[in-house]
Amino acid sequence: MTTPFDEYRLIEDEIQKCMKCGNCQAVCPVFSVEKTEAGVARGKIALADAILKGRIDLDDPDLYDRVFNCLVCKSCMQNCPPQVNFDKIILAVRSAIVKKKGLHPLKRTIFNLLFHKKALFETGIKTGAKLQSLLTKTTQSGEGRNLRFPIGILDRKRVIPSLAPTPFRDRVEEKIICSNPQTTVAFFTGCSINYIYTGIGDDIVEVLKKNRVNVAIPKDQYCCGIPVFAHGDIDTARQMARANLDALEKTAADFVVFGCGSCAGAFSHEYIELLKGDNVYEPLSMKWKQKAVEISQLLLNKIDFVKPKGQIDEVVTYHDSCHLRKTVKVWKEPRELIKAIPGITFKEMSKPDACCGSGGTYNLTHYDTSSSILKNKINDIKKTTAHIVTTACPGCIMQLVDGIEQFGDGQIARHYITLLAQSYKKEA
Amino acid sequence: MDSNVIERLNGILSKDRVLTKKADLVTYSYDATADVMTVMPDVVVLPKTVEEIVKIVKLADETNTPIYPRGSGTNLSGGAIPVKKGIVLCTQLMNKIIEIDPDNLTATVEPGVIVNDLNNAIAPHGLIYPPDPGTVATATIGGTVATCAGGLRGLKYGVTKHYVMGMQVVLPDASVVRFGGKTVKNVTAYDFAALFVGSEGTLGIVTEITVKLIPAPKYRRSMLALFKDLKDAGNTVQGIIKQRVIPATLEIMDAMTIETVENYAKVGLPQGYSALLLIEVDGMSKESVESEAMAVKDVVTQNNGELKIAETDAERDKIWSARRAALPALAQLSPTTVLEDATVPRSRLTEMLLEVDKIAKKYNLKIGTFGHAGDGNLHPTILADERNKEEMERVHKAVDEIFAAALKLGGTLSGEHGIGIAKLKYLKDEIGDSGIALMRNIKTAIDPKGIMNPGKLVP
């Protein structure tokens, strides 16, 4: 296969597009905190170019640090005059480094578990769920857990989510059939909904049922592959993409829906890039790109939406998941759904599309920078006086819960679909 | 560079603010200028206080180490490139607004404050800081002072030099000088602000700036005028001034830019025209703004133009999104975008546009021209690929001729980008041997060792 992730030199034309204007400085969350040129896209593109021209070696440990100091939030791409596909460049560099140096042993173990030994991984998760109270305790707000003592890179004050006792897909029917259905969808849960925020999974299913949508929840779906791809493990990411497309094919659904911006982005964008030139899977990736819809898009644009009637008297704001807004280009629909709920006062925060600093695992590897980015986000949320901050991404929720605990004053973070499900429940 | 320098820098600043790794140095080897050399510095420092800067400059002076002040690195003259290696001194961490004084209509800032951040901070007082280069969201005030940045509102509101009232500067011998201040009138000593604004970091490091603020205009009217004949557009620009109307902005786009913008941004620009003007009048009373708008309308009609007046904010946004899209749209067409800023007296605008057109044809190059028609400041934008050596030779010849044409028409090499390294070889053509000698005398008097941003501005 000949993508820039397999053969680094193919990234040259993308690098050449950068006119070095530096506009990315205005929007890059890492740069906003660190203020160094290697933090921002323009600097990283210069490094990518230096690799190409042999001025810096792929083995350079500092190079590794600089190119992994990026959330891949794609904010820079929204503000880029020549529209450089920076995501492609940064992932090509990471893939090239991994190809040369090999994957970090810990990452290799985890990614390997995620795909090749999913059963073993799930056993681990289930054991973890049982043992988590030994290492952690529920926070006062009850929104997450604190470590009882610091472990490795995890700070003690950091709030980490609770693992669900039983993964979502283990306890739901693989097929949910309604009478007189409007359409049939496959629900791609993603890892966070499957292992941590299983309640969001239940809410999505309830909302779909209320809207008379048949739901298939294939058991043989894997991680979407985005976290793996972001770490440069192109082979595993590709295997996951293929396996997920196979799982969806078997459902013969009209659409595939997501409750996670990053998973939605995988199907609408990254799979196409990953599977370019693959005779079997490139056409499949194109086919499912057409069918991929975030849950709000399905409800508002693809079917007759059942308007919620249950009253929820709350002031609510919405934080844009980077991947949903900047990859999938969805931001109007979730707001429209929230505003459709009777009783809700919607308050827009300043810069709702600014990254929260989660970046999947960025908040583990770069906790200080991530935390400073998060603090700004929480301050913007506080200014709205909203009690509930909604979003469309479990990763953002995880981050916001941690931020509220440290910088907030008692707000709660929820998936917007949870509010919709609650409204439906109230009217029943 | 003296091997002790880095060790001593580590004694002055915390280690995380002294960058010596190759992976960092690569990222300070360029600025926003196309088609110029890139050079890695030996070290990058990120000071937070004037005291740190004094110590750094003292060290540079003692060891004869070149030192390059840098803001956000968004300039278009190669002015921030460390051509002789040494120390890059980046002011981005010095980004505090020290004081906003609405009674005296001034603000005092550290050099690393972003232009937009200042404007956001003074907006609640009903004030604006008018200089608005295209990079307002990223450029530092220190950088815009060093380059005397202009922008879209130059015609009516002037450029950076009209707003700097006072400064603190660390000189190349590490002494600190402060001049000017909050008074409107000040004739004490030489007019040092005039000397340091636009000095491109060759005379010292600006560490504090007091700027003038003005009341924000309350009313405005935006218009778009289309012309089949370029000459009519040029005559309209002059005609508007003849009516004694000074628009806040008076921008022009040529046929190629119009077409490219429409393909890129789809803002509904009509096609098949040779030029368009984007005009905004503003003021404190509705009546004066309306009467100016009507005067503009008459001039456009008399010169065979078609005028559209924005009736709503959405229509206004559309007009200005077309202007904002000009550079991005052109930049999309090719990997290398050479953006010039040759400037002519307003009355010679049409001739200059026709000259650029002729040069584009002669060298078989794609050149889109847009810019600040009201002040004669054009941006001929040459689209090329730096990997194509033969094409780049043609680009260089075309650039030579564009500058020659601007000077022939009584204009200048650079309206707002500066000389840096990119235009150094043309400097003599404009100011002659005596001008060069004067430049060198001033430079030597203030920076006898030549450590301050060497290789720039002064040949």
Side-chain angles (χ1 to χ4, degrees):
Chain A
M1 230 174 290
T2 47
T3 72
F5 317 114
D6 304 280
E7 244 180 274
Y8 184 66
R9 63 176 175 83
L10 296 176
I11 203 66
E12 185 188 344
D13 282 347
E14 204 60 49
I15 290 172
Q16 279 293 326
K17 278 163 71 180
C18 175
M19 59 190 286
K20 300 187 292 181
C21 65
N23 275 15
C24 37
Q25 291 179 17
V27 290
C28 173
V30 173
F31 182 79
S32 76
V33 172
E34 300 187 357
K35 298 268 193 266
T36 56
E37 184 75 15
V40 77
R42 179 173 69 167
K44 293 188 173 81
I45 294 171
L47 287 169
D49 192 38
I51 298 169
L52 211 53
K53 296 189 170 134
R55 291 188 192 137
I56 194 163
D57 201 80
L58 277 172
D59 287 336
D60 190 319
D62 305 311
L63 174 76
Y64 181 93
D65 285 349
R66 304 303 178 274
V67 299
F68 277 89
N69 187 17
C70 168
L71 293 138
V72 200
C73 68
K74 312 190 189 189
S75 299
C76 50
M77 294 166 60
Q78 318 306 306
N79 203 35
C80 178
Q83 298 186 350
V84 177
N85 290 304
F86 176 71
D87 54 345
K88 226 168 155 175
I89 295 177
I90 193 76
L91 294 176
V93 175
R94 289 178 181 184
S95 301
I97 291 177
V98 166
K99 219 162 238 122
K100 178 142 189 219
K101 290 179 61 169
L103 208 55
H104 186 282
L106 180 66
K107 289 182 190 174
R108 192 171 60 226
T109 309
I110 295 172
F111 298 164
N112 193 30
L113 279 172
L114 269 174
F115 187 73
H116 296 289
K117 300 187 175 126
K118 196 165 81 156
L120 185 60
F121 177 73
E122 296 203 340
T123 310
I125 288 272
K126 285 170 206 167
T127 313
K130 291 198 186 90
L131 295 180
Q132 59 189 342
S133 57
L134 292 179
L135 302 177
T136 61
K137 56 179 188 288
T138 307
T139 58
Q140 276 187 334
S141 66
E143 293 283 310
R145 308 185 74 85
N146 279 139
L147 287 175
R148 291 185 189 276
F149 39 84
I151 302 174
I153 50 172
L154 288 179
D155 199 288
R156 204 177 144 184
K157 63 178 189 286
R158 186 188 169 80
V159 181
I160 50 175
S162 314
L163 290 167
T166 312
F168 177 72
R169 294 194 299 263
D170 284 12
R171 61 171 172 76
V172 289
E173 295 292 321
E174 204 164 357
K175 280 206 165 67
I176 296 159
I177 307 290
C178 307
S179 61
N180 191 19
Q182 297 203 64
T183 186
T184 299
V185 302
F187 176 20
F188 187 88
T189 68
C191 298
S192 306
I193 290 177
N194 193 44
Y195 299 117
I196 298 167
Y197 296 116
T198 54
I200 298 172
D202 295 323
D203 294 333
I204 287 175
V205 169
E206 284 311 307
V207 167
L208 288 170
K209 278 181 9 198
K210 177 81 182 179
N211 283 274
R212 301 193 334 274
V213 174
N214 285 348
V215 192
I217 309 173
K219 298 244 189 263
D220 51 353
Q221 54 179 294
Y222 291 85
C223 163
C224 68
I226 290 297
V228 180
F229 192 15
H231 284 278
D233 185 357
I234 180 92
D235 296 330
T236 308
R238 215 167 243 152
Q239 284 170 329
M240 286 171 168
R242 291 192 189 113
N244 286 328
L245 289 168
D246 283 339
L248 291 183
E249 271 294 294
K250 278 189 251 165
T251 66
D254 300 322
F255 299 101
V256 51
V257 299
F258 307 89
C260 166
S262 301
C263 298
F267 284 80
S268 74
H269 180 70
E270 273 85 4
Y271 283 6
I272 316 287
E273 296 284 349
L274 271 171
L275 299 169
K276 217 162 250 173
D278 182 319
N279 289 338
V280 180
Y281 287 94
E282 185 180 6
L284 275 186
S285 70
M286 300 300 280
K287 173 178 169 184
W288 285 93
K289 173 191 160 87
Q290 299 305 322
K291 292 168 175 252
V293 281
E294 203 264 345
I295 177 85
S296 66
Q297 289 176 291
L298 178 88
L299 295 172
L300 291 171
N301 307 337
K302 303 292 182 192
I303 60 170
D304 285 331
F305 173 51
V306 176
K307 290 230 160 67
K309 295 198 195 80
Q311 185 92 3
I312 297 181
D313 292 311
E314 291 280 3
V315 182
V316 175
T317 189
Y318 177 75
H319 157 72
D320 285 290
S321 133
C322 287
H323 289 171
L324 187 60
R325 180 163 183 141
K326 295 158 193 169
T327 306
V328 194
K329 310 284 180 198
V330 169
W331 62 86
K332 289 191 195 111
E333 290 88 347
R335 288 174 168 81
E336 206 178 310
L337 283 183
I338 296 164
K339 289 177 191 168
I341 300 170
I344 282 186
T345 309
F346 184 78
K347 291 248 179 97
E348 198 76 80
M349 71 180 88
S350 147
K351 291 183 277 177
D353 58 341
C355 179
C356 64
S358 162
T361 52
Y362 183 88
N363 56 3
L364 296 176
T365 53
H366 297 79
Y367 187 59
D368 288 343
T369 301
S370 165
S371 198
S372 301
I373 297 167
L374 178 57
K375 191 174 179 180
N376 294 335
K377 173 56 70 178
I378 301 296
N379 282 336
D380 286 339
I381 292 168
K382 274 161 94 176
K383 282 183 206 145
T384 64
T385 72
H387 176 56
I388 302 177
V389 50
T390 58
T391 184
C393 164
C396 298
I397 293 178
M398 223 179 280
Q399 176 83 343
L400 291 170
V401 166
D402 181 34
I404 290 164
E405 192 78 16
Q406 295 183 47
F407 315 114
D409 30 44
Q411 291 86 350
I412 55 174
R414 292 285 181 269
H415 198 293
Y416 71 85
I417 209 73
T418 300
L419 297 191
L420 184 61
Q422 278 172 4
S423 175
Y424 282 147
K425 230 172 271 168
K426 275 199 174 176
E427 68 186 66
Chain B
M1 196 180 71
D2 192 327
S3 60
N4 293 323
V5 170
I6 287 168
E7 200 181 310
R8 289 173 67 185
L9 285 171
N10 276 322
I12 298 170
L13 297 98
S14 59
K15 275 213 164 75
D16 57 320
R17 293 186 288 122
V18 181
L19 313 180
T20 56
K21 303 278 201 245
K22 196 177 189 181
D24 288 315
L25 300 179
V26 165
T27 67
Y28 292 87
S29 65
Y30 53 82
D31 55 31
T33 318
D35 191 32
V36 289
M37 65 171 100
T38 57
V39 183
M40 275 200 286
D42 294 306
V43 56
V44 178
V45 289
L46 304 158
K48 284 183 175 171
T49 63
V50 62
E51 289 76 21
E52 287 177 347
I53 293 182
V54 167
K55 288 179 191 163
I56 296 162
V57 173
K58 196 170 272 171
L59 173 61
D61 177 50
E62 277 171 29
T63 55
N64 272 323
T65 311
I67 184 163
Y68 309 85
R70 178 185 173 104
S72 297
T74 54
N75 79 85
L76 295 166
S77 69
I81 297 169
V83 291
K84 296 186 177 169
K85 301 186 82 75
I87 305 168
V88 164
L89 185 149
C90 184
T91 60
Q92 284 180 306
L93 291 179
M94 293 178 71
N95 58 357
K96 274 196 289 293
I97 296 173
I98 297 166
E99 185 197 40
I100 295 167
D101 183 346
D103 295 332
N104 285 308
L105 296 177
T106 63
T108 300
V109 300
E110 290 187 337
V113 170
I114 305 298
V115 180
N116 254 2
D117 291 345
L118 175 63
N119 266 310
N120 290 337
I122 58 179
H125 301 282
L127 297 170
I128 56 168
Y129 173 66
D132 63 339
T135 48
V136 279
T138 47
T140 63
I141 306 236
T144 57
V145 165
T147 54
C148 189
L152 267 63
R153 294 189 286 205
L155 168 62
K156 181 169 182 178
Y157 293 106
V159 298
T160 302
K161 68 180 171 192
H162 301 115
Y163 292 89
V164 176
M165 298 175 70
M167 280 185 201
Q168 185 191 56
V169 181
V170 177
L171 296 174
D173 65 358
S175 60
V176 181
V177 59
R178 188 181 273 280
F179 49 80
K182 290 184 182 180
T183 62
V184 173
K185 295 177 177 175
N186 179 333
V187 292
T188 305
Y190 288 127
D191 185 359
F192 289 122
L195 179 62
F196 280 89
V197 174
S199 63
E200 301 190 11
T202 60
L203 300 179
I205 297 169
V206 177
T207 47
E208 196 182 296
I209 306 135
T210 299
V211 295
K212 178 169 88 172
L213 310 175
I214 64 166
K218 290 200 174 93
Y219 300 92
R220 59 192 180 196
R221 215 71 161 102
S222 294
M223 294 160 273
L224 188 152
L226 295 146
F227 299 89
K228 292 277 184 195
D229 188 337
L230 191 61
K231 288 192 183 100
D232 287 332
N235 290 335
T236 299
V237 171
Q238 288 180 58
I240 290 172
I241 305 296
K242 268 202 190 105
Q243 288 301 309
R244 299 298 172 251
V245 172
I246 308 286
T249 38
L250 178 44
E251 298 284 305
I252 192 163
M253 282 185 199
D254 70 354
M256 178 171 167
T257 310
I258 300 172
E259 189 192 329
T260 312
V261 165
E262 186 50 28
N263 286 340
Y264 169 81
K266 307 260 181 278
V267 283
L269 288 184
Q271 298 299 300
Y273 293 87
S274 298
L276 70 73
L277 294 174
L278 302 164
I279 309 156
E280 185 166 284
V281 291
D282 67 3
M284 285 299 175
S285 86
K286 205 171 179 173
E287 293 71 30
S288 71
V289 170
E290 283 306 319
S291 86
E292 288 193 346
M294 285 310 111
V296 168
K297 189 181 172 191
D298 289 344
V299 175
V300 170
T301 316
Q302 282 157 21
N303 286 290
N304 315 309
E306 295 166 36
L307 188 79
K308 293 180 181 191
I309 300 184
E311 300 296 342
T312 62
D313 281 350
E315 283 178 24
R316 177 184 185 269
D317 287 350
K318 217 170 180 180
I319 287 180
W320 292 109
S321 67
R323 170 60 183 87
R324 280 192 297 274
L327 181 58
L330 289 169
Q332 285 241 307
L333 295 184
S334 69
T336 307
T337 311
V338 178
L339 179 67
E340 293 302 349
D341 72 324
T343 302
V344 293
R346 189 184 302 126
S347 58
R348 314 297 294 271
L349 187 75
T350 313
E351 289 165 82
M352 186 63 198
L353 283 164
L354 293 171
E355 280 291 334
V356 173
D357 223 31
K358 215 167 76 189
I359 294 165
K361 288 204 180 81
K362 179 174 171 189
Y363 291 105
N364 188 26
L365 290 167
K366 275 191 189 162
I367 306 184
T369 302
F370 61 96
H372 320 304
D375 49 38
N377 180 196
L378 291 174
H379 292 307
T381 304
I382 311 176
L383 309 176
D385 186 339
E386 66 182 6
R387 293 168 292 186
N388 182 342
K389 294 281 170 270
E390 182 275 326
E391 185 184 46
M392 288 315 283
E393 266 173 42
R394 282 184 280 129
V395 170
H396 297 148
K397 283 182 186 154
V399 169
D400 290 350
E401 289 198 20
I402 287 173
F403 287 132
L407 293 180
K408 193 181 75 194
L409 294 170
T412 178
L413 299 169
S414 179
E416 56 184 4
H417 295 169
I419 299 299
I421 52 174
K423 280 166 234 164
L424 204 53
K425 68 169 175 165
Y426 306 106
L427 191 61
K428 198 169 128 186
D429 299 339
E430 183 168 337
I431 64 169
D433 288 329
S434 56
I436 301 277
L438 178 60
M439 297 271 295
R440 283 185 180 146
N441 284 339
I442 293 172
K443 171 76 175 171
T444 314
I446 299 174
D447 180 19
K449 292 185 180 169
I451 57 168
M452 207 50 86
N453 206 9
K456 320 289 168 60
L457 183 61
V458 189

